C-alpha cells in the first residue's frame, strides 16, 4: 500500500458517474446486478462477480437434478431477459451450477438459498432431512434460534461442508452455512441488502461499483435506507463492522478516501488535492455537517475499534493518515 492514491482511482470514478448520468438502468435490473450479494444467485453473473465463491480446481459437474426444482444442474437463463448480453453464446457448452451437500443431494446455488431459513434453522437437508453439519455444534441446542435472531442457529461453530461446481471449476469443502445464515437474515431484513452489497464492494476495493450502487440507491424509491444510514450501517453478522472497517482491514485505500469524502467531518482542505479536484469536478457531494455518531472515522465495531484504531494497527502510511485526518 503506497502513500499516494492510485492514479486511476478518480478517473474510474469520473467515467462511472458519467456512465450513470447518461444511462440510468431499469430498477429491476439494478436489483439483479448492482445489489447482488455474496449469497445471491450466480445465475446472472460471471465467475469474477460477487456471487460465486473462489475455486480450487477444475472437474466436470455431476449429472444429477436439483432436488428443489428438478432441473439439470446448469445455469438457467431467462429467454426474455432484458439484457441479452448476460446470456452465454448459443454454441457455448452448458455452465454447471451444482451444489453437492454431504447427504449426496444436489441443488442449484440459488435454489438452496431460497430454502436458507429452513436449512439455517434445522441444519438439515430440505430434501432428505439428513443432519448436515460435519462437526458437533458447541452451542446449546444445535437447531434452536439465537436470542437476537430466531432464524439463526445458536451454534456458530457448526459447518456444512459442500462441493460447489460452476463455470470456474470446483471448490471443495465450501462451508455453506455462513451463506445460508446471511441470506436468512437478509430475507427477514431485505432493507439491508444494499448495505450488505456496499460492504462486499468495500472489501473488494470496487470504487466504481460503490458509485454505481449509490446512484441506484438515490434513484430507487423502494430502498428505504438513506445515504448516511447506508454508509454507517453495521453488520451484526460480522462483528458490527462498517464499510470503512472492511476497507481498512483489506487495505483498500481508494475506498477509504471515498468513504471519508462522503461521510466524515474531515475538512475539504485536508484531502489530497487530486481527491478534491476529481470529486468536485463531477459534483460528488459532501454533507455540510456530519454528526460524530455518523462520522465513519468514529463508529466502533463489535470489538470497540474505530477506523483510527485500525489505521494505527496497520501502521506506516495508514498511521500518518490517522493523525492527518483527526482519527486519533
Amino acid at each position: 500500500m503506497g502513500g499516494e492514491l492510485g492514479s486511476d482511482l478518480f478517473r474510474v470514478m469520473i467515467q462511472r458517474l458519467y456512465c450513470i448520468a447518461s444511462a440510468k438502468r431499469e430498477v429491476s435490473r439494478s436489483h439483479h446486478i448492482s445489489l447482488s450479494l455474496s449469497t445471491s444467485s450466480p445465475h446472472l453473473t460471471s465467475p469474477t462477480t460477487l456471487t460465486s465463491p473462489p475455486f480450487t480446481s477444475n472437474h466436470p459437474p455431476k449429472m444429477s437434478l436439483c432436488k428443489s426444482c428438478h432441473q439439470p444442474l446448469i445455469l438457467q437463463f431467462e429467454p426474455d431477459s432484458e439484457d441479452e448480453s448476460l446470456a452465454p453464446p448459443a454454441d457455448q457448452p452448458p455452465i454447471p451450477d451444482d451444489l453437492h451437500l454431504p447427504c449426496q443431494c444436489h441443488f442449484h446455488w440459488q435454489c438452496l438459498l431460497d430454502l436458507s431459513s429452513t436449512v439455517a434453522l434445522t441444519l438439515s437437508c430440505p430434501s432428505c432431512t439428513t443432519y448436515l453439519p460435519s462437526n458437533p455444534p458447541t452451542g446449546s441446542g444445535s437447531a434452536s434460534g439465537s436470542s437476537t435472531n430466531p432464524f439463526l442457529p445458536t451454534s456458530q461453530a457448526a459447518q456444512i461442508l459442500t462441493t460447489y461446481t460452476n463455470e470456474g471449476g470446483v471448490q471443495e469443502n465450501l462451508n455453506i452455512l455462513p451463506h445460508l445464515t446471511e441470506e436468512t437474515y437478509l430475507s427477514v431484513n431485505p432493507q439491508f441488502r444494499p448495505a450488505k452489497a456496499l460492504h462486499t464492494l468495500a472489501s473488494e476495493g470496487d470504487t466504481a461499483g460503490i458509485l454505481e450502487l449509490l446512484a441506484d440507491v438515490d434513484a430507487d424509491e423502494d430502498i428505504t435506507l438513506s445515504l448516511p444510514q447506508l454508509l454507517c450501517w453495521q453488520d451484526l453478522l460480522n462483528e458490527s463492522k462498517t464499510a470503512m472497517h472492511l476497507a481498512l482491514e483489506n487495505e483498500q485505500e481508494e475506498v477509504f478516501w471515498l468513504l471519508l469524502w462522503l461521510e466524515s467531518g474531515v475538512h475539504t482542505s485536508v484531502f489530497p488535492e487530486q481527491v478534491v479536484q476529481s470529486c468536485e469536478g463531477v459534483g460528488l457531494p459532501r454533507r455540510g455537517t456530519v454528526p460524530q455518531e455518523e462520522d465513519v472515522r468514529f463508529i466502533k465495531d463489535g470489538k470497540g475499534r474505530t477506523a483510527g484504531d485500525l489505521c494505527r494497527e496497520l501502521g506506516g502510511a495508514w498511521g500518518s493518515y490517522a493523525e492527518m485526518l483527526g482519527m486519533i
Side-chain angles (χ1 to χ4, degrees), residues 5 43 111 183 216 262 292 314:
L5 285 174
H43 292 211
C111 284
E183 180 60 25
D216 289 335
L262 292 171
Q292 181 166 332
L314 290 169

Side-chain angles (χ1 to χ4, degrees), residues 95-152:
I95 299 174
D97 178 25
D98 181 358
L99 188 60
H100 185 191
L101 301 187
C103 58
Q104 307 307 314
C105 290
H106 295 256
F107 292 84
H108 293 114
W109 177 272
Q110 186 60 46
C111 284
L112 190 66
L113 289 183
D114 290 342
L115 300 167
S116 60
S117 60
T118 298
V119 182
L121 185 63
T122 67
L123 301 180
S124 300
C125 173
S127 176
C128 69
T129 70
T130 298
Y131 184 70
L132 294 174
S134 58
N135 58 323
T138 57
S140 58
S142 61
S144 62
S146 69
S147 59
T148 57
N149 191 325
F151 290 95
L152 304 183

